[in-house]
Amino acid sequence: MITVAKKRRPKSKNYFTKDTEQAIVRYNNEPDSEVRSQIYRDEIHYAFFKLTENIIHTFKFYYTEVDQIEHLQHEVITFLLSKLHLFNPDNGAKAYSYFGTITKNWLIVYNTKNYKKRVLKAPVDELYKDDNYSYQMGEEKEKDRLSIFIDAYVKYVEDRFDKFFPKGNDAKVADAILELFRKRENLEIFNKKALYIYIREMTGVDTPVITKVTKVLKKLYKKLYTEYIFV
């Protein structure tokens, strides 16, 4: 299992910016290898370093064959370099999301492979008494992250209520649905049909309106959650 080395934190949290994305585009369009190397060193490397560091710690990708976090990051960054030429902003993806996605996917495969090796080599009695052989803590962390996201999601919609739901009935339904999110820990209704009935009783609005508003909220949820998991 990996040993995490301490490293001084930078002053700014904005390590992967629009300027980074523009630098990647310039890197891909630059024919001179020396100029490309300079662009990478000066404008891209640190962003890749912080991106890999954050994803490794956030998702606890600690099952590895190397001893230091920097060694694992070096492997991931080498992989990212091999994929750098594939990034095309015209496809609609932001560089941060694009490289965050392939970093996470690479680490999932790598981490799972090494976790399985660790379990196969471990004595049977150790599997039951050592948390290092379990993903339980990681699962709990994911639950906490989801809860934080839902709170942020509700706040995001609340702040833009007039934009998304300008009509009275739509706003009424949206607020009722958000109330279910707010009180989710005490909610005992999990059946979709029962939830529809519950919302209809709260708002007095017909089912087609509920369905329409639900679709808007669902689309927003997917979009925001996709961005959130790569932060």
Side-chain angles (χ1 to χ4, degrees):
M1 188 170 177
I2 196 166
T3 300
V4 181
K6 293 183 178 179
K7 193 173 185 69
R8 184 171 59 85
R9 295 178 180 270
K11 293 181 180 179
S12 174
K13 293 182 180 180
N14 299 321
Y15 61 89
F16 208 122
T17 65
K18 184 65 177 177
D19 290 338
T20 310
E21 180 168 312
Q22 292 171 351
I24 292 172
V25 173
R26 283 191 286 110
Y27 174 95
N28 286 334
N29 292 332
E30 176 56 56
D32 190 307
S33 60
E34 290 188 7
V35 175
R36 282 203 311 273
S37 296
Q38 175 110 29
I39 294 172
Y40 176 78
R41 286 195 305 270
D42 295 347
E43 304 179 64
I44 302 173
H45 176 74
Y46 180 71
F48 277 0
F49 180 86
K50 290 302 297 180
L51 178 70
T52 55
E53 180 182 61
N54 288 347
I55 290 177
I56 288 168
H57 288 311
T58 297
F59 296 98
K60 294 186 178 294
F61 289 127
Y62 296 154
Y63 292 103
T64 176
E65 295 176 344
V66 296
D67 297 324
Q68 297 294 331
I69 184 69
E70 286 84 358
H71 298 161
L72 176 58
Q73 285 179 257
H74 176 73
E75 292 188 37
V76 186
I77 291 171
T78 299
F79 168 74
L80 292 181
L81 269 171
S82 73
K83 302 297 181 182
L84 200 58
H85 68 286
L86 297 176
F87 175 71
N88 183 357
D90 293 337
N91 292 334
K94 299 296 184 182
Y96 176 74
S97 296
Y98 176 80
F99 289 103
T101 298
I102 62 176
T103 294
K104 187 180 178 185
N105 289 342
W106 189 94
L107 284 165
I108 287 172
V109 174
Y110 181 86
N111 198 66
T112 302
K113 179 186 70 175
N114 285 290
Y115 172 75
K116 289 179 179 177
K117 285 182 182 179
R118 185 179 178 89
V119 170
L120 288 172
K121 292 178 181 179
V124 175
D125 58 335
E126 290 295 314
L127 297 177
Y128 293 98
K129 63 184 181 182
D130 189 346
D131 284 338
N132 288 330
Y133 298 107
S134 172
Y135 276 136
Q136 184 175 0
M137 291 180 67
E139 290 171 356
E140 289 301 317
K141 185 176 180 63
E142 283 303 296
K143 290 179 183 178
D144 290 341
R145 278 174 57 80
L146 180 58
S147 181
I148 292 170
F149 165 74
I150 290 175
D151 290 338
Y153 166 74
V154 171
K155 182 68 166 57
Y156 178 90
V157 177
E158 286 175 340
D159 290 346
R160 297 159 180 81
F161 224 73
D162 292 339
K163 174 184 176 182
F164 296 131
F165 308 105
K167 296 181 180 179
N169 280 344
D170 290 356
K172 192 187 299 185
V173 172
D175 188 57
I177 294 173
L178 292 181
E179 185 65 15
L180 294 178
F181 278 105
R182 298 183 194 106
K183 297 181 177 179
R184 60 190 179 276
E185 293 182 1
N186 301 318
L187 192 64
E188 296 181 358
I189 304 172
F190 297 100
N191 180 275
K192 181 179 177 180
K193 184 177 180 180
L195 285 171
Y196 264 73
I197 294 172
Y198 182 69
I199 295 168
R200 194 167 59 197
E201 289 178 349
M202 289 175 65
T203 62
V205 174
D206 292 335
T207 299
V209 178
I210 299 174
T211 301
K212 180 180 69 173
V213 172
T214 301
K215 285 181 179 178
V216 174
L217 290 172
K218 184 178 180 181
K219 185 177 180 180
L220 278 171
Y221 187 97
K222 286 183 176 180
K223 175 182 180 295
L224 295 172
Y225 188 68
T226 299
E227 296 174 357
Y228 173 75
I229 61 175
F230 298 118
V231 172

